[in-house]
Amino acid sequence: MRIGVLTSGGDCAGLNAVIRAVVKRATLGYGWRVFGIRHATHGLLKRPIDAVELTTDSTAGIMTLGGTILGTTNRGDPFAYPGPDGQTVDRSHEIATGYREFGLDALIGIGGDGSLAILRRLAQLGRWNLVGVPKTIDNDVAATEHAVGFHSAVNAATEALDRLHVTAASHSRVMVLEVMGRDAGHIALTAGIAGDADVILIPELPWSLDAVCAKIESRRAQGRMHSLVIVAESVKAPEGEARTYHDAHGNVRYGGIGEVLAREIGQRTKAETRVTVLGHVARGGSPVPLDRVVGSAFGVAAVDLIAEKRFDRMVAWHDRQVVDVPIEEAIATYRAVDPEDTLVHTARGLDICLGS
Ligand code: F6P
């Protein structure tokens, strides 16, 4: 058997733990050969195919490394691939046939909901035997409690809050931390609780400037002159729109709500207010133990699914164990924070302002 593995979409910590586990299980457990496809599906677009054989020797020691040894991309949708003249072209057929030309028997795709949706379409087109592994710092893939990378991102955001806490207290300031998470507020909510934030704003819950400023003012009235605010990047500004901008390639990106919030809080409360945008810092660095463990468990389980010839499925974490679900189910919707989520309840119980 020759199996392929690729990482697709934004990088995160823990991808190499998955790759290492796939290699160990496939080579030592089943005697198969494993090939790492470089830069997501772009490797299958190239001729010759851009791939490298992975062995236990070549992957030794990679678990602690952030990012992905295979490279990745969240650009270049194969079905609308950017051409030189600004037009898009459908190059899906070239990628789909790359799998057969390279002689693969199965492919493990490590990606978020967007990448898994694209991989599934390619798999249907090229009759691939596909197994998915969920990863994303946003933790918004449906049907799994953990996606690889989330806990490391939470760790980075929590550490940022811890550091901001000290300087906020020293200067009697309000510190606003803007964190990634795309359309979901999981990072802000989880790190906000762990990092002792006074205000947590997430896109799933309505908020008002009045409520946020009232919280800060009530703390000041009690002699607590500093406050910590964490805001998810897709939270809507007071005028009702999320802060987005177009990058040089025309892609819509979130960014800027932290600055808006800091300015408004400063003007209203007269508190000295500063903003920090954590950005891609949350994606880098060595994976925390939970991402190493979840990534390893997912890698082993993904190879086992191939051995059982159960394809078009994604490994998932559910109720303390690894299970598998149809990829179709995992990509049908994204997992936002449920307003009834236990962590929402926890935050309210800790007297954290959630915006209202
Ligand atoms: O999906 C992961 C993520 O980091 C989001 O949280 C963020 O909105 C986006 O990717 C940033 O994308 P890029 O790496 O293209 O800037």
Side-chain angles (χ1 to χ4, degrees):
M1 285 268 279
R2 283 165 66 96
I3 69 165
V5 57
L6 60 79
T7 46
S8 179
D11 75 326
C12 62
L15 296 173
N16 291 324
V18 184
I19 295 167
R20 169 181 172 270
V22 165
V23 171
K24 280 196 170 228
R25 186 61 166 167
T27 59
L28 303 178
Y30 296 102
W32 302 341
R33 295 178 73 186
V34 181
F35 295 86
I37 313 294
R38 288 211 170 96
H39 301 290
T41 52
H42 288 197
L44 290 173
L45 196 54
K46 295 233 173 90
R47 298 296 181 273
I49 301 294
D50 189 5
V52 59
E53 180 154 13
L54 301 174
T55 63
T56 50
D57 278 348
S58 71
T59 54
I62 65 169
M63 183 165 68
T64 56
L65 304 177
T68 161
I69 59 161
L70 297 176
T72 187
T73 179
N74 57 5
R75 301 282 173 259
D77 177 354
F79 295 89
Y81 201 85
D85 52 1
Q87 303 287 92
T88 56
V89 270
D90 184 350
R91 301 194 65 183
S92 57
H93 192 70
E94 294 164 68
I95 296 173
T97 53
Y99 170 97
R100 295 244 167 261
E101 285 175 30
F102 198 57
L104 292 177
D105 296 300
L107 178 72
I108 295 174
I110 311 167
D113 55 347
S115 295
L116 291 174
I118 288 174
L119 287 170
R120 185 165 191 262
R121 281 179 75 189
L122 290 167
Q124 287 173 339
L125 190 66
R127 298 191 315 284
W128 299 356
N129 293 325
L130 177 69
V131 168
V133 174
K135 67 87 217 167
T136 167
I137 63 165
D138 307 335
N139 210 24
D140 59 353
V141 179
T144 184
E145 287 156 17
H146 302 301
V148 175
F150 171 64
H151 295 284
S152 301
V154 168
N155 190 58
T158 304
E159 192 184 323
L161 282 178
D162 289 348
R163 287 167 182 257
L164 291 171
H165 208 150
V166 186
T167 175
S170 303
H171 283 265
S172 301
R173 283 175 174 166
V174 175
M175 292 294 194
V176 176
L177 178 67
E178 177 185 315
V179 293
M180 283 184 169
R182 194 103 64 186
D183 301 314
H186 296 287
I187 297 176
L189 178 60
T190 314
I193 292 172
D196 196 10
D198 304 295
V199 178
I200 300 174
L201 300 181
I202 59 174
E204 294 87 347
L205 296 176
W207 71 281
S208 76
L209 201 54
D210 286 347
V212 171
C213 293
K215 173 73 181 177
I216 291 165
E217 274 159 357
S218 92
R219 282 177 54 79
R220 287 162 73 87
Q222 292 161 27
R224 296 197 177 103
M225 303 310 285
H226 68 279
S227 290
L228 279 185
V229 179
I230 185 166
V231 57
E233 62 179 353
S234 62
V235 162
K236 292 185 169 64
E239 66 271 18
E241 292 297 322
R243 300 292 291 199
T244 56
Y245 63 95
H246 286 84
D247 68 12
H249 304 284
N251 302 300
V252 178
R253 318 209 26 212
Y254 286 120
I257 182 63
E259 202 181 312
V260 173
L261 196 58
R263 194 175 52 234
E264 297 284 345
I265 291 171
Q267 275 168 7
R268 286 262 196 122
T269 64
K270 306 294 175 237
E272 245 195 296
T273 308
R274 298 286 187 270
V275 61
T276 301
V277 180
L278 192 64
H280 293 78
V281 170
R283 295 223 310 237
S286 183
V288 297
L290 190 52
D291 276 327
R292 298 180 195 188
V293 172
V294 169
S296 298
F298 280 173
V300 168
V303 173
D304 288 345
L305 276 179
I306 294 174
E308 292 161 17
K309 299 200 182 335
R310 297 178 62 227
F311 303 116
D312 199 19
R313 302 193 69 81
M314 183 190 83
V315 294
W317 201 281
H318 178 69
D319 202 13
R320 301 172 69 92
Q321 55 186 324
V322 182
V323 297
D324 56 271
V325 297
I327 295 180
E328 190 177 16
E329 187 185 311
I331 60 176
T333 175
Y334 79 100
R335 195 173 75 90
V337 174
D338 181 346
E340 303 300 320
D341 190 288
T342 190
L343 290 188
V344 172
H345 179 72
T346 303
R348 290 199 204 287
L350 293 170
D351 195 31
I352 297 171
C353 169
L354 291 176
S356 58

